[in-house]
Amino acid sequence: MSWTITAEHIDGLARGAAVLGTGGGGDPYIGALLARQALADTDVTVVGLDEVPDDALVLFVAMMGAPTVMVEKLPSLDEVVEPVRALGVHLGRPVTHIACAEVGGVNSTIPIAAAAALGLPLIDADGMGRAFPELQMVLPTLHGVTASPLAFSDEKGNTGVLQTVDNSWTERIARVACVEMGCSVMISGFSMSGVQARESLVADSLSRCIEIGEAIARARDSKTDPVAAAVALLHGRELIDGKVVDVQRATTTGFARGRARIDGAGDTSITLQFQNEHLVAEQDGQVLVTTPDLIMVLDGESGEPVTTEALRYGQRVRVAAAPADERWHSAAALAMVGPGYFGYDMRAHRFDGTISTGGTETESGVLSEGNEPR
Amino acid sequence: MSWTITAEHIDGLARGAAVLGTGGGGDPYIGALLARQALADTDVTVVGLDEVPDDALVLFVAMMGAPTVMVEKLPSLDEVVEPVRALGVHLGRPVTHIACAEVGGVNSTIPIAAAAALGLPLIDADGMGRAFPELQMVLPTLHGVTASPLAFSDEKGNTGVLQTVDNSWTERIARVACVEMGCSVMISGFSMSGVQARESLVADSLSRCIEIGEAIARARDSKTDPVAAAVALLHGRELIDGKVVDVQRATTTGFARGRARIDGAGDTSITLQFQNEHLVAEQDGQVLVTTPDLIMVLDGESGEPVTTEALRYGQRVRVAAAPADERWHSAAALAMVGPGYFGYDMRAHRFDGTISTGGTETESGVLSEGNEPR
């Protein structure tokens, strides 16, 4: 069922997207600014995955770079559509739909701006159901969709189009270009048919973001618990209610990397490790939850999501965990986004503390090696 | 007048190109291998600049990267033509001529291989009349020719096409991609009409390389002085006849950077500073010659050119200097390739020790600031 997204949806959408963005995906305030600006003169039609024609030409539009830099380089509407235009030459036929590569404060709203500027419908779906730091880390990669041709562009007017041998090479080359171009570029790629989009995207993401974002606001307004409201919708659990007592963070090679410690009541303490997104939560040296499941930090009182670059000493926060889209638990997916890929020597732990076996794809019962640390 | 280049020309061409390459532009042995392979089955027609039709579509084809790496990654013929093919999409009309961006051991022979593989004529000309380390450093940049669209490709099959706001941005983005792709890529760009090519290229480069390369061999065979033969053809002068007593070299950010000291008879000693190419020659702290004029190191006995990466302690060498194409002495050119650009705090010194004033373009007699160190 298609619906119209308007400026009134944006606050809820940006907030909910920042929750699912697990600390990454950019500042929801910046994302909301951009989307409201784009929707000032026009509405955008949002269509369900089941409504996308088989022969559609769907493109992701996203911002690539360090969220710490995105805050200082809000793109113009011209910039947002430039990579889509640059891809036109390569694809040879008109783009029909825009989709979100990930959910996150900026990358759920940039595509709205792109859809508005291009007069195209937006799909109520995304490529992850969460946020991840590298370009190849989307479910379409696991379904054989190529990131290439992928276009990137900066605010100065430089553009590039890559055609690479695999999606990891797209990431590598686009990343160094992104760093050279100022640590933040607009990208578009992963061209998909409607069939491929239905097969590989996470359905109803935008609706879900709005639902979560509005539930947090409603709970706050009615003096009930906004974090509990979000956790219930996510089918997750709360890990700790406490205070940020330590944050280490560095922006290196285009990523915001670091760790944070949150002390709760009694002697409880949780350590989070992040690379744009929160990837590992540990308690007393024991792994609680890891990527690909969701680890989220919310403001202790307002329930507002706290991005990794906004974490500050002394903040009252609550940390929650929730299940990722189940496709992220296949062996191939764990090899791509499991803790081992990010350099953490541990198995993937689901939000409830159980081990993710990587067995989703191996129906024979023989578990593959996808969950081994790299 | 057009002529046919065959495998018999290659030794002379590669040798002469390495002389004019002033230490950079790659190993002449590698370049010769590649060109002979390309000419095994086919000849290449070489046309003079005055024969190129006004509406021709001329492209540079070159190898970009650290010469130290090129030696280990000899490209295949498929690789050599891949960036030309990738550009086809953008240009929308057939390429008619191939040209050399620079003269140098590899970049004078790669275009022969490309012309052979594509069945296109090669122009007897190049973009510098020497070699320089960065992509924008060609005379066409000074004549308003854009490097974009510029294609790059590697041996794995990755390609990219850049469209940038100026030629320095093409260099910046292509350089980081090149480093990420293994410090050596094939590139093609600087699309020019015949009119633009005539206006901005250095005429008769290939013929000149062959003439110099063959003169060195002939002098050697006839037991006369090969270095003197080369210096005479270059209208240059010899700076020192001595022994390499110190070489410092590092391959950083895609360049081979360093310095070398050559001690001659008595107390004479010359220090060379290089970044792929020899850029500064000093004697007892006094600047003798700098970029853009040519500083060349030749083997003391054989007259074979010695590239910066082949310089070794104990080598008997002779160092010569010669004038660059006069267009390199304009104010705009000196701002782009003068010693200040490379971080040397000195004015540009011509091969004969006089100061280059950067006044070529300012016919009013008022000298511009092009010669000031950056």
Side-chain angles (χ1 to χ4, degrees), chain B residues 207-218:
Chain B
S207 305
R208 191 170 187 224
C209 289
I210 294 172
E211 185 184 13
I212 293 168
E214 292 183 346
I216 290 172
R218 219 166 26 241

Side-chain angles (χ1 to χ4, degrees), chain A residues 333-355:
Chain A
L334 289 176
M336 186 163 77
V337 301
Y341 180 86
F342 294 103
Y344 306 116
D345 186 15
M346 57 185 68
R347 305 191 76 184
H349 288 60
R350 288 179 184 263
F351 82 103
D352 58 4
T354 60
I355 302 293

Side-chain angles (χ1 to χ4, degrees), chain A residues 128-146:
Chain A
M128 303 187 201
R130 50 163 298 157
F132 274 127
E134 297 182 11
L135 183 153
Q136 78 279 13
M137 296 175 172
V138 293
L139 292 167
T141 295
L142 298 169
H143 285 86
V145 175
T146 63

Side-chain angles (χ1 to χ4, degrees), chain A residues 13 17 58-62 97-104 106-112 122-130 138 140 190 192 201-202 205-206 209:
Chain A
L13 170 68
V58 182
L59 281 185
F60 282 162
V61 178
H97 295 75
I98 299 296
C100 300
E102 63 178 1
V103 285
V106 164
N107 277 334
S108 290
T109 46
I110 288 263
I112 297 174
L122 182 68
I123 304 179
D124 191 356
D126 80 291
M128 303 187 201
R130 50 163 298 157
V138 293
F190 284 91
M192 283 170 271
L201 299 185
V202 178
S205 298
L206 298 181
C209 289

Side-chain angles (χ1 to χ4, degrees), chain A residues 158-159 161 163 165 172 180, chain B residues 158-159 161 163 165 172 180:
Chain A
N158 296 307
T159 63
V161 177
Q163 187 76 47
V165 292
R172 287 180 62 170
E180 185 67 21
Chain B
N158 296 309
T159 64
V161 177
Q163 186 76 48
V165 292
R172 287 180 63 169
E180 184 67 19

Side-chain angles (χ1 to χ4, degrees), chain B residues 9-307:
Chain B
H9 292 106
I10 296 303
D11 277 347
L13 171 66
R15 184 183 304 114
V19 172
L20 288 169
T22 64
D27 186 331
Y29 178 73
I30 299 290
L33 269 184
L34 195 75
R36 264 197 300 267
Q37 179 192 351
L39 294 175
D41 301 323
T42 181
D43 292 338
V44 166
T45 300
V46 180
V47 300
L49 263 182
D50 54 355
E51 293 170 284
V52 180
D54 284 359
D55 63 351
L57 177 54
V58 182
L59 280 186
F60 282 162
V61 178
M63 197 171 207
M64 179 181 200
T68 33
V69 174
M70 290 183 192
V71 177
E72 298 168 18
K73 281 176 68 179
L74 186 64
S76 68
L77 285 183
D78 275 353
E79 259 179 86
V80 169
V81 299
E82 184 50 40
V84 182
R85 290 205 185 105
L87 269 194
V89 179
H90 278 257
L91 296 170
R93 62 200 184 93
V95 178
T96 62
H97 295 73
I98 299 296
C100 300
E102 64 178 3
V103 284
V106 165
N107 276 334
S108 289
T109 45
I110 288 262
I112 298 173
L118 292 161
L120 291 176
L122 182 68
I123 303 179
D124 190 358
D126 80 290
M128 303 185 201
R130 50 163 297 156
F132 274 126
E134 298 182 11
L135 183 153
Q136 77 279 11
M137 296 173 171
V138 292
L139 292 167
T141 295
L142 298 169
H143 285 85
V145 175
T146 63
S148 302
L150 181 119
F152 55 91
S153 63
D154 68 14
E155 77 289 356
K156 293 171 282 292
N158 296 309
T159 64
V161 177
L162 301 177
Q163 186 76 48
T164 62
V165 292
D166 61 37
N167 294 358
S168 295
W169 269 107
T170 318
E171 157 69 23
R172 287 180 63 169
I173 301 172
R175 184 69 56 182
V176 293
C178 168
V179 171
E180 184 67 19
M181 292 161 92
C183 268
S184 167
V185 293
M186 294 299 313
I187 61 171
S188 185
F190 285 92
S191 55
M192 282 171 272
S193 69
V195 175
Q196 289 175 305
R198 258 192 296 284
E199 181 179 71
S200 63
L201 299 186
V202 178
D204 306 321
S205 297
L206 298 182
S207 305
R208 191 170 187 224
C209 289
I210 294 172
E211 185 184 13
I212 293 168
E214 292 183 346
I216 290 172
R218 219 166 26 241
R220 193 166 53 213
D221 293 346
S222 64
K223 313 284 182 202
T224 56
D225 183 347
V227 176
V231 169
L233 283 170
L234 290 160
H235 307 295
R237 67 174 178 123
E238 191 170 333
L239 300 180
I240 200 166
D241 179 343
K243 196 167 80 168
V244 178
V245 295
D246 192 23
V247 185
Q248 296 165 38
R249 182 172 35 226
T251 301
T252 53
T253 62
F255 296 109
R257 297 175 203 267
R259 58 168 65 213
R261 203 177 99 216
I262 292 120
D263 284 357
D267 283 345
T268 59
S269 176
I270 277 188
T271 301
L272 303 176
Q273 299 194 61
F274 55 85
Q275 293 182 26
N276 287 13
E277 286 75 34
H278 293 295
L279 298 175
V280 175
E282 291 170 295
Q283 184 164 27
D284 304 327
Q286 295 295 309
V287 180
L288 290 182
V289 188
T290 70
T291 171
D293 272 2
L294 283 62
I295 301 165
M296 295 152 288
V297 178
L298 305 175
D299 182 87
E301 292 193 7
S302 68
E304 288 293 318
V306 181
T307 58

